[in-house]
Amino acid sequence: MSVLSIGQIRIHAGGATQEAALQEATDILVSAGAVAPAYVDAMRQREETVSTYMGNGLAIPHGTNETKELILDSALSVVRYDGGVDWAGDPVTFVIGIAGRGEEHLEILSQIAILFSDDDDVERLTAAQTPEELYALLADVNG
């Protein structure tokens, strides 16, 4: 199951608002054929209930359980904002949007959590210069 392609990875020199980051994550997932455009609303609902900030500069926005019908396929979007995102008060550099069919999102989430729990891995992800380099570092998540 390949959930990530190089086209779903972006690096921005600047920052973004949380709202803009949620929209970009959704746009990438829509382009990948993974979600309907309304998925951004599902992500907003999730953030209103509980922040998807995970620590170590990572947020993993995803929809609520009630909005599963908006998910067409499992996929990830990976965006690095070198200028940072204020994620409801927490500093975020990586915004990884997740769309998972059935229970697949749980496996994807655990792979990402493992990767971002290692400071050396986070340092490598932050130092990567191109989407291709990021893609190589994220290969384990891709299954």
Side-chain angles (χ1 to χ4, degrees), residues 15-22 81 84-87:
T17 63
Q18 182 175 350
E19 177 58 33
L22 288 174
Y81 296 95
V85 179
D86 177 341
W87 204 267

Side-chain angles (χ1 to χ4, degrees), residues 33-104:
V35 300
Y39 193 65
V40 71
D41 296 323
M43 285 185 173
R44 283 192 202 110
Q45 284 169 22
R46 167 81 62 189
E47 296 300 334
E48 283 165 20
T49 322
V50 57
S51 173
T52 57
Y53 175 70
M54 302 292 286
N56 257 357
L58 170 68
I60 48 161
H62 52 288
T64 56
N65 290 336
E66 297 76 44
T67 52
K68 289 265 188 231
E69 74 280 357
L70 297 172
I71 298 174
L72 313 171
D73 204 0
S74 296
L76 292 180
S77 63
V78 177
V79 185
R80 192 179 81 202
Y81 296 95
D82 291 345
V85 179
D86 177 341
W87 204 267
D90 292 305
V92 163
T93 305
F94 283 91
V95 177
I96 299 183
I98 298 175
R101 285 194 61 100
E103 298 304 308
E104 287 176 358

Side-chain angles (χ1 to χ4, degrees), residues 6 9 11 80 123-139:
I6 290 173
I9 301 174
I11 298 173
R80 192 179 81 202
E123 216 168 275
R124 280 191 285 275
L125 290 162
T126 306
Q129 297 294 304
T130 64
E132 287 78 10
E133 283 179 41
L134 268 180
Y135 181 76
L137 292 167
L138 292 162

